[in-house]
Amino acid sequence: MTTPSYNQGKKKGNLGTFVDERLGLSGVIKGFARKLFPDHWSFLLGEIALYSFVTLILTGIFLTMFFVPSMGSTTYPADALPVTQAGMEMSEAYASTLRLSFEIKGGLLMRQMHHWAALLFMASIVAHMFRVFFTGAFRKPRELNWLVGFTLLILGLLAGFTGYSLPDDVLSGNGLRIADGVAKSIPILGTWVSWGLFGGQFPGMDIIPRLFTLHILVVPGLILALVGLHLLMVVVHKHTQYPGPGRKDSNVVGFPLFPVYTAKAGGFFFIVFGVIALMGAVLSINNVWNYGPYDPSPVSAGAQPDWYMLFLEGALRLMPGWEFEFLGFTFPMNIIIPGVVVPGILFTALAAYPFIEKYATGDDEEHHVLDRPRNVPVRTAIGCVIITEFLILALAGSNDIIATHFHMSINGITWFFRILLLTAPFIVFWCVKRICLALQRRDRELVLHGRGTGKVVQLSDGGFHAVHKPLDEYERWTLVQHSAHRPIPAGPERDARGLDRAEFKSEKRREKLSRFFFEDRIEPVTPSELAEASASHHSLHAGRTNTATQTTAQLVEKKEPVEIEK
C-alpha cells in the first residue's frame, strides 16, 4: 500500500493553473498581453464603435423581453398613458412600444439608450472608416480588413433600418413605404421583390416579425462574427502607426496590451457607457407617441430617418420625376437612380477603392506606417468630396424643415441643392488638392530652411538675411520619411519584333489613372538638397559671426551703437 506524499512548499489547484493544464493557453495569453499598440486619439474611434455595440446588446436584451413583434390589431387601454393614444386601434408592436415607454420601469431609459447607442455606433464606424481612408491604413496587407469594415458599415445600416422600423409608428411606417417603393422600382423583378419582402401587399402582416428576427438574431450575429474577425486581423497584421521618429514598417512603437491598454480600455468603456446613459436620461429621442400608429394618410413635414439614412432621403427628394415605359414595363428613374443606382455605385466604389489605388500605384509592399493626408492629395480630395456630397444630401433630406423654419421656398431650396450636388464635387476636389500641395510645399520649406524666428540680420556685405531655426531631427524625419508615388508609364506599343503588344491598351488605361492620382505632386526633400541647404545656412551663420565681430570692434572704437537685429 502506497502512502500519498504531499508537497507542502508548493500550492497547486488554483483556477489559473487548473485551466492552463487543460487548455494550455498561458503561452497565447502571455504573447497577446505583450502585444504592442501605438498610442493616438484617433485609434479610439474604433473602440467607441465596439463599446457602443456592447451597449446595444445589453439594452437590446432588456427591450426584447417586453417588445411584441406582431402586426396583430389591438385597442390601447383607455386608462393608460399617454392619454393621446388611449382607446386607439393600433398594432401589437406599437402598443408594446408604448407600454415599454410608460409602464415598464426603466423602459424609456433603455429605449433611448438603445437609440443613442445606435446613432453613436454608426457615427464612430463612419469616422473610423474615414480615418482609415485618409491615412491609407487600407493598404497591403489590410485590404481584406477594409472589406470587413465596409461590410460592418452595411450591416450597421441594416441593423438601424430594421430597428427603427419595429415600433410601427407613422415615421417608421413611412420608411417602410419608401423601401417598398424602391423595391418596386426595380424593373421586371420589383413587384416580386416587394411581395417576397412583405409577404404580400404592403404592409401585410409579416414584415414586423421578419424585421424583428433580422434585428435581434441575424444582423447582430453577423456583426459579432465580423468584429471578431476584424480584431483578429488587427492582431495578426499588427497595428498601424502614425509617422514619427523610430517608427518603420518593420516595427511598432507603443505600449503593451497588459496592463496599459487593458486599463485604458476598461476605463474608456465605462466612459462611453456613461455618456450614452446620460444622453438616454436627459435627451429625448424617437418619441413615437408624437406620431401615432402607422397610417399611410398622414405624412407631414419633419419626417426624417436617422442621420445615416438621411442621404438616401435627400437623393429621393432631389431627383426630378422622370420615368419612361419600355416593352410594357415602367422605369421610374426618379426612384431607381437615387434609391438603387447612386447607393450601388457609391458603396461599390468605396469597397473597391483600396484595389483601385493599388492598381494606380503598382505598389505591392506592406505598409504599417500611415500616410499624412496632405501627402496623398488626390485621395484626400476624394474623401472630402464624399463627405461634402453626404452633407448636401442630408441637408436636402431636411428641405421641408429648412423651408418651414426659415420661411423659404421649398422649390428654391430643392433647386439650390440640385445645382450644389453637381458643382460642389469639382470645387471641393480642386480646393482640397491645392491645399494639400501647398502644405507639402510648406513642409519642404520647413525642412530646408527651418522655422522663421522673426529676426533679420545684416551681413558683412550689407545684405540682410532672415534668421531661421532649423528643425530638430525628429520633426524633420516626420516631414521627409514618406516616398512620393509617380505616374506609371505605359510600355511600348510594339515589341522588339514590331508586333502590337496585347497588354498595351490596359497599360495605357493604367497610365491615365496613375496620372490622375500622381501627375501633380511635390517631391520630398532629398538628402543632397538637405545637405546643400545645411551648407548654405552654415555659410550664412559664419557671415553673421563675422558681422558680429566687426560690430563689436566698431562699438569699441567709435563708442556708437550699431543695430544688427531687427
Side-chain angles (χ1 to χ4, degrees):
M1 182 174 181
T2 304
T3 303
S5 61
Y6 297 93
N7 187 349
Q8 301 295 333
K10 184 178 180 182
K11 283 190 174 183
K12 284 191 174 184
N14 61 69
L15 181 61
T17 304
F18 178 85
V19 173
D20 184 51
E21 287 177 347
R22 286 151 181 81
L23 300 179
L25 296 178
S26 61
V28 177
I29 294 174
K30 185 177 181 180
F32 190 68
R34 291 179 176 178
K35 193 77 175 177
L36 294 181
F37 289 88
D39 197 17
H40 194 271
W41 66 266
S42 65
F43 298 149
L44 297 178
L45 296 172
E47 293 188 36
I48 294 174
L50 177 62
Y51 302 150
S52 301
F53 182 65
V54 172
T55 306
L56 282 169
I57 293 177
L58 296 177
T59 54
I61 291 173
F62 179 91
L63 297 176
T64 305
M65 297 178 181
F66 302 98
F67 180 74
V68 180
S70 171
M71 294 283 284
S73 180
T74 186
T75 301
Y76 200 63
D79 58 346
L81 292 175
V83 294
T84 55
Q85 310 291 303
M88 291 184 63
E89 186 176 354
M90 58 188 64
S91 66
E92 291 278 4
Y94 183 73
S96 65
T97 304
L98 293 181
R99 283 193 293 270
L100 254 171
S101 303
F102 291 96
E103 296 181 14
I104 306 300
K105 292 183 178 180
L108 182 59
L109 175 63
M110 291 295 107
R111 277 195 63 233
Q112 298 196 149
M113 282 183 63
H114 193 75
H115 204 121
W116 281 119
L119 298 181
L120 186 60
F121 176 65
M122 288 306 303
S124 53
I125 284 183
V126 171
H128 179 64
M129 288 199 68
F130 272 116
R131 196 276 299 173
V132 171
F133 180 86
F134 283 121
T135 60
F138 52 77
R139 294 172 295 171
K140 184 180 178 180
R142 296 177 181 82
E143 300 97 333
L144 294 180
N145 214 3
W146 169 266
L147 294 179
V148 170
F150 168 78
T151 309
L152 283 171
L153 174 66
I154 301 300
L155 289 174
L157 294 174
L158 182 59
F161 176 75
T162 56
Y164 73 66
S165 299
L166 290 178
D168 198 34
D169 60 313
V170 169
L171 185 61
S172 63
N174 287 335
L176 286 175
R177 190 53 166 164
I178 293 174
D180 176 58
V182 171
K184 287 179 177 176
S185 70
I186 301 173
I188 304 175
L189 301 176
T191 303
W192 299 103
V193 172
S194 173
W195 190 274
L197 180 64
F198 292 94
Q201 190 69 26
F202 176 86
M205 298 294 291
D206 299 332
I207 186 62
I208 295 298
R210 291 178 178 180
L211 292 179
F212 184 72
T213 303
L214 287 173
H215 186 69
I216 71 165
L217 253 153
V218 179
V219 177
L222 292 174
I223 291 177
L224 274 174
L226 290 179
V227 166
L229 179 60
H230 182 75
L231 295 177
L232 177 63
M233 286 186 175
V234 170
V235 173
V236 170
H237 295 150
K238 71 186 178 184
H239 206 293
T240 55
Q241 55 189 344
Y242 283 90
R247 299 177 181 180
K248 300 179 292 184
D249 288 329
S250 58
N251 68 1
V252 176
V253 178
F255 299 97
L257 178 67
F258 184 84
V260 178
Y261 272 101
T262 306
K264 283 186 175 182
F268 193 52
F269 166 75
F270 288 107
I271 291 174
V272 172
F273 186 86
V275 169
I276 294 175
L278 181 63
M279 295 171 68
V282 300
L283 300 177
S284 181
I285 190 171
N286 197 26
N287 300 325
V288 296
W289 52 90
N290 289 337
Y291 308 111
Y294 177 61
D295 183 350
S297 58
V299 179
S300 61
Q304 274 77 28
D306 287 332
W307 70 268
Y308 48 85
M309 299 293 289
L310 196 53
F311 76 100
L312 287 175
E313 176 83 8
L316 289 167
R317 294 189 184 197
L318 289 186
M319 187 66 191
W322 297 343
E323 65 178 37
F324 65 90
E325 291 188 5
F326 182 69
L327 298 178
F329 295 97
T330 301
F331 291 78
M333 306 309 294
N334 58 327
I335 300 178
I336 294 176
I337 292 178
V340 180
V341 176
V342 171
I345 294 175
L346 173 64
F347 289 128
T348 302
L350 192 62
Y353 183 85
F355 306 96
I356 296 173
E357 186 173 296
K358 182 179 179 180
Y359 178 74
T361 60
D363 184 7
D364 200 38
E365 300 293 328
E366 288 194 2
H367 296 277
H368 303 290
V369 176
L370 300 173
D371 288 327
R372 301 175 76 210
R374 66 182 63 182
N375 293 333
V376 277
V378 171
R379 182 205 299 159
T380 304
I382 291 173
C384 291
V385 166
I386 294 174
I387 294 174
T388 302
E389 293 290 81
F390 177 85
L391 293 176
I392 293 172
L393 291 175
L395 290 173
S398 306
N399 60 352
D400 52 345
I401 295 179
I402 297 174
T404 55
H405 280 64
F406 295 97
H407 307 288
M408 300 170 66
S409 167
I410 193 169
N411 291 328
I413 294 171
T414 301
W415 271 106
F416 172 77
F417 283 129
R418 285 174 179 171
I419 297 172
L420 194 63
L421 186 70
L422 298 176
T423 57
F426 301 98
I427 298 172
V428 171
F429 183 89
W430 184 85
C431 290
V432 172
K433 184 179 177 181
R434 291 297 125 190
I435 290 172
C436 289
L437 292 173
L439 290 173
Q440 288 186 62
R441 291 190 184 95
R442 177 178 175 272
D443 288 345
R444 279 185 60 91
E445 292 297 318
L446 285 175
V447 170
L448 293 174
H449 306 295
R451 289 189 173 86
T453 61
K455 296 180 180 180
V456 178
V457 174
Q458 185 178 11
L459 302 178
S460 57
D461 59 358
F464 291 89
H465 173 67
V467 178
H468 289 77
K469 180 183 178 182
L471 302 180
D472 59 45
E473 57 181 343
Y474 300 108
E475 294 177 295
R476 189 184 302 121
W477 170 256
T478 303
L479 299 183
V480 302
Q481 52 80 34
H482 69 284
S483 57
H485 290 287
R486 297 171 181 82
I488 302 175
E493 185 175 357
R494 293 180 174 84
D495 58 18
R497 296 175 298 172
L499 301 177
D500 292 339
R501 295 172 58 244
E503 61 272 17
F504 175 74
K505 291 183 178 180
S506 63
E507 290 179 358
K508 203 65 180 176
R509 288 193 295 268
R510 184 176 186 175
E511 180 185 9
K512 290 181 180 179
L513 181 64
S514 185
R515 286 189 177 278
F516 168 74
F517 272 92
F518 307 115
E519 188 168 26
D520 295 332
R521 65 188 184 279
I522 305 297
E523 295 290 343
V525 177
T526 62
S528 59
E529 289 177 319
L530 187 58
E532 182 181 349
S534 299
S536 175
H537 292 157
H538 284 316
S539 63
L540 288 172
H541 180 72
R544 180 185 175 189
T545 304
N546 294 335
T547 302
T549 304
Q550 296 170 7
T551 303
T552 304
Q554 293 173 3
L555 288 171
V556 172
E557 183 177 345
K558 298 184 178 180
K559 308 295 184 183
E560 294 178 1
V562 178
E563 183 178 354
I564 300 297
E565 295 187 356
K566 296 183 180 180

